[in-house]
């Protein structure tokens, strides 16, 4: 019990720990929420650029106050200098990308390293006037947050979050589809600059507290962690804020337990948190992806099962199917389950094709026989036609098969004299081609009759010993064999 108290409760009694938790949480939440838009807009490199370029603004602000007013380490001047440096960097990135063939990602790399280098040179040349700890600038000191830093960060966080809330819809549409946003009159460029300004403010206000490395990490890592768990931006922002807070809390505990630097511990915890979600995320995690690939059934197996059930012309068991489809038992079970879920077969122990399944089987049969005809046309020996067509039948896009069929003049039979099923490129088929037709609603695609039936009508076709009939709007219409043969229909989904 004493150990648990020492590990978890005792740190909460320390003022420095509570200040670090409060200040770090402010920075983490605003960074995480903003980071969601940074990720969606593929601007992750921008936060890194702004945080590094700030050294020039910090140095210039420090030097200006020292030489003009004789004041050292004026926080306000360094903050303003950092902000000016950030905006100059953003302007130069956009300018270079706009006036040259250099793209924005390369422009960011050029400009931020240039401005960062200028800052380093400035600090080194005027070293006797500028007393800046570059290591503190890069690594930060989250366990030594000042009251001024907390106030500035709180104001900036409130301002940035207010802007995101007020213009959320605009930021959302410009992030997902800037072309459509521009087409409906949204000033995409303006919102891009507003958002970039928000990122600049966050980076400038947070670097003095948490350092360059941590501010970039908090901007990207919690948002990326949330991105693995949801497809909705609102939920992603809420999860990112939560992960940002837990990164600070867990990192500070790690820092106390290991007696290590606070910034490094926070970033380590955030990264471990990301890796855990990457592995265990229910939809986009590595385990889920492995499970999907393990359960995935090749389309060729699916099509072979449908073809074998169609040939049997009667209900079959899983064992019957296994005699004709050579695959592993687990894959066969997964395939039968998938076909049942898709509505292509029905049953539990004994299975049979549904109407949709028979239509799919006819489509596969047409593909097989068209390929056989084509191979025969190309001079392949008759003894090899079936074997080669069995491989090619899995390339069975309706339009492609119809195109090949048409190039050969739409032959009605294959080289063996078997009829090529009349399944058409729009997915419709001749009604008489479906054996054992059941009493189902269908959509008429084409028909030759003067009995009030036309394309687009949804009717119920019935086949009995007395002949064919169509039920439309509660009225039964008898059909002749010629009218049925002229009719193509499509099953309703």
């Amino acid at each position: 019990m004493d150990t648990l108290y020492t590990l978890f409760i005792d740190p909460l009694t320390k003022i420095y720990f509570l200040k670090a938790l409060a200040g770090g949480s402010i920075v983490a939440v605003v960074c995480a929420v903003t980071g969601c838009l940074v990720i969606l807009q593929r601007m992750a490199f921008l936060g890194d650029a702004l945080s590094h370029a700030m050294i020039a603004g910090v140095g210039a602000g420090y030097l200006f106050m020292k030489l003009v007013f004789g004041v050292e380490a004026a926080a306000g001047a360094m903050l303003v200098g950092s902000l000016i440096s950030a905006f100059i960097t953003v302007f130069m990135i956009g300018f270079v990308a706009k006036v040259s063939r250099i793209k924005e990602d390369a422009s960011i790399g050029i400009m931020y390293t240039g401005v960062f280098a200028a800052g380093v040179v400035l600090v080194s040349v005027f070293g006797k006037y500028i007393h800046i700890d570059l290591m503190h600038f890069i690594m930060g000191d989250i366990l030594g947050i000042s009251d001024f830093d907390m106030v500035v960060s709180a104001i900036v966080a409130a301002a940035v979050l207010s802007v995101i809330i007020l213009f959320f819809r605009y930021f959302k549409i410009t992030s997902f589809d800037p072309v459509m946003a521009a087409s409906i009159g949204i000033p995409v460029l303006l919102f891009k600059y507003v958002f970039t300004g928000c990122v600049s403010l966050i980076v400038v206000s947070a670097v003095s507290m948490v350092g360059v490395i941590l501010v970039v990490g908090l901007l990207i890592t919690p948002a990326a962690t949330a991105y693995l768990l949801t497809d909705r931006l609102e939920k992603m922002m809420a999860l990112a804020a939560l992960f940002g807070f837990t990164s600070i809390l867990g990192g500070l505990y790690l820092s106390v337990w290991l007696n290590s630097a606070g910034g490094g511990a926070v970033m380590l915890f955030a990264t471990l948190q990301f890796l855990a979600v990457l592995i265990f995320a229910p939809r986009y995690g590595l385990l889920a992806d492995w499970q999907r690939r393990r359960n995935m059934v090749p389309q060729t197996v699916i099509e072979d099962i449908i073809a074998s059930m169609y040939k049997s012309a009667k209900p079959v068991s899983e064992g019957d199917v296994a005699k004709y489809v050579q695959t592993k038992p687990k894959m066969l079970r997964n395939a039968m389950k998938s076909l049942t879920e898709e509505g292509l077969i029905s049953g539990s122990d004994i299975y049979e094709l549904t109407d949709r399944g028979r239509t799919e089987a006819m489509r596969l049969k047409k593909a097989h026989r068209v390929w056989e005809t084509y191979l025969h046309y190309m001079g392949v020996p008759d003894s090899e036609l079936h074997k080669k067509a069995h491989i090619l039948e899995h390339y069975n896009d309706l339009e492609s098969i119809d195109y090949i069929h048409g190039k050969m003049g739409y032959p009605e039979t294959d080289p063996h004299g078997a009829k090529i099923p009349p399944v058409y490129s729009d997915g419709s088929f001749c009604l008489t081609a479906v054996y054992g037709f059941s009493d189902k609603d269908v959509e008429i695609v084409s028909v030759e009759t003067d009995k009030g039936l036309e394309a687009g009508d949804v009717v119920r076709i019935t086949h009995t010993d007395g002949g064919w009939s169509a039920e439309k709007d509660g009225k039964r219409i008898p059909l002749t064999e010629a009218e049925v043969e002229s009719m193509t229909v499509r099953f309703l989904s």
Side-chain angles (χ1 to χ4, degrees):
M1 198 68 179
D2 290 340
T3 302
L4 290 176
Y5 179 87
T6 304
L7 289 176
F8 294 102
I9 306 301
D10 187 57
L12 295 175
T13 64
K14 311 296 184 184
I15 297 298
Y16 75 89
F17 188 92
L18 293 176
K19 284 185 68 174
L21 180 60
S25 296
I26 293 171
V27 172
V29 168
V30 70
C31 281
V33 171
T34 309
C36 295
L37 295 174
V38 168
I39 285 178
L40 293 177
Q41 295 183 24
R42 295 176 175 85
M43 294 170 59
F45 202 21
L46 181 62
D48 191 30
L50 294 176
S51 58
H52 281 80
M54 274 180 53
I55 184 64
V58 170
Y62 193 109
L63 183 63
F64 175 80
M65 294 301 293
K66 176 68 175 177
L67 295 180
V68 176
F69 298 102
V71 178
E72 285 197 17
M78 289 191 288
L79 183 63
V80 172
S82 299
L83 197 56
I84 293 172
S85 174
F87 278 111
I88 289 174
T89 304
V90 170
F91 171 77
M92 291 302 296
I93 289 168
F95 177 77
V96 171
K98 186 175 181 180
V99 301
S100 72
R101 65 184 298 184
I102 304 298
K103 294 188 178 179
E104 193 171 52
D105 56 345
S107 178
I108 290 174
I110 295 168
M111 288 298 107
Y112 106 72
T113 51
V115 176
F116 178 67
V120 172
V121 170
L122 182 70
V123 171
S124 62
V125 170
F126 296 95
K128 63 181 179 179
Y129 300 112
I130 303 174
H131 305 116
I132 296 176
D133 184 359
L134 288 179
M135 184 58 67
H136 173 79
F137 178 81
I138 294 172
M139 298 302 298
D141 185 12
I142 193 171
L143 295 173
I145 294 176
S146 68
D147 293 339
F148 178 79
D149 288 335
M150 287 189 65
V151 171
V152 170
S153 294
I155 294 172
V156 169
V160 170
L161 290 176
S162 297
V163 170
I164 291 176
I165 292 169
L166 286 172
F167 300 105
F168 177 76
R169 292 177 61 190
Y170 299 100
F171 285 131
K172 186 176 182 179
I173 192 170
T174 53
S175 297
F176 282 106
D177 197 340
V179 176
M180 190 187 82
S183 69
I184 60 177
I186 295 176
V188 177
L189 190 60
L190 172 63
F191 280 103
K192 182 176 182 180
Y193 280 124
V194 169
F195 180 67
T196 303
C198 290
V199 175
S200 302
L201 281 170
I202 292 169
V203 170
V204 167
S205 65
V207 160
S208 61
M209 269 203 305
V210 296
V212 169
I213 294 175
L214 187 53
V215 76
V216 176
L218 291 176
L219 199 62
I220 304 303
T221 308
T225 307
Y227 194 40
L228 294 171
L229 295 173
T230 181
D231 292 323
R232 295 188 62 84
L233 181 57
E234 299 90 336
K235 190 180 292 185
M236 178 181 172
M237 286 181 166
L239 286 172
L242 176 63
F243 285 128
F245 171 75
T246 55
S247 296
I248 296 295
L249 181 62
L252 289 176
Y253 272 118
L254 273 183
S255 174
V256 172
W257 296 341
L258 303 177
N259 194 27
S260 68
V266 169
M267 204 57 249
L268 175 61
F269 190 89
T271 304
L272 293 175
Q273 191 172 241
F274 170 79
L275 292 175
V277 173
L278 177 65
I279 294 170
F280 297 107
R283 185 173 179 185
Y284 299 114
L286 297 179
L287 286 178
D289 182 61
W290 174 79
Q291 187 67 31
R292 276 194 301 273
R293 285 188 280 108
R294 187 167 177 262
N295 294 332
M296 187 171 60
V297 181
Q299 185 64 22
T300 54
V301 174
I302 294 285
E303 292 174 353
D304 286 344
I305 292 172
I306 292 173
S308 67
M309 292 181 68
Y310 186 81
K311 287 177 184 177
S312 70
K314 62 180 181 180
V316 296
S317 67
E318 191 176 298
D320 296 328
V321 175
K323 296 176 183 177
Y324 297 96
V325 180
Q326 300 300 315
T327 186
K328 295 179 181 178
K330 181 177 176 57
M331 185 172 290
L332 180 61
R333 287 194 298 274
N334 289 338
M336 300 299 282
K337 180 181 178 182
S338 176
L339 285 166
T340 304
E341 290 173 349
E342 292 178 19
L344 295 171
I345 65 174
S346 60
S348 55
D349 296 325
I350 301 297
Y351 301 90
E352 61 180 334
L353 291 172
T354 62
D355 291 328
R356 282 187 59 208
R358 286 194 285 272
T359 305
E360 180 69 9
M362 281 194 300
R363 187 178 72 82
L364 296 173
K365 179 184 282 190
K366 177 180 179 178
H368 181 90
R369 291 180 179 174
V370 167
W371 278 117
E372 278 194 343
T373 307
Y374 179 75
L375 292 170
H376 177 75
Y377 179 77
M378 295 300 293
V380 174
D382 288 353
S383 60
E384 298 182 21
L385 289 179
H386 180 77
K387 182 179 178 181
K388 293 185 180 296
H390 181 68
I391 297 172
L392 291 171
E393 70 182 19
H394 298 296
Y395 299 94
N396 52 43
D397 174 73
L398 278 171
E399 291 186 2
S400 301
I401 294 299
D402 197 56
Y403 174 80
I404 296 171
H405 197 196
K407 280 294 184 181
M408 296 184 293
Y410 294 106
E412 295 184 358
T413 60
D414 68 7
H416 307 297
K419 186 176 180 180
I420 296 176
V423 182
Y424 306 107
S425 60
D426 60 359
S428 63
F429 57 92
C430 180
L431 194 59
T432 55
V434 182
Y435 72 87
F437 181 77
S438 58
D439 200 18
K440 291 287 181 66
D441 289 340
V442 293
E443 178 189 356
I444 295 177
V445 177
S446 65
V447 64
E448 295 177 12
T449 182
D450 57 1
K451 296 179 179 178
L453 299 176
E454 57 186 24
D457 286 346
V458 176
V459 298
R460 176 163 292 191
I461 308 292
T462 304
H463 184 213
T464 64
D465 293 340
W468 295 83
S469 64
E471 183 180 333
K472 177 184 175 183
D473 299 329
K475 182 181 178 182
R476 190 169 295 278
I477 304 169
L479 300 172
T480 65
E481 289 289 337
E483 288 170 331
V484 173
E485 288 178 1
S486 73
M487 183 185 297
T488 61
V489 299
R490 184 186 296 117
F491 284 121
L492 301 177
S493 300

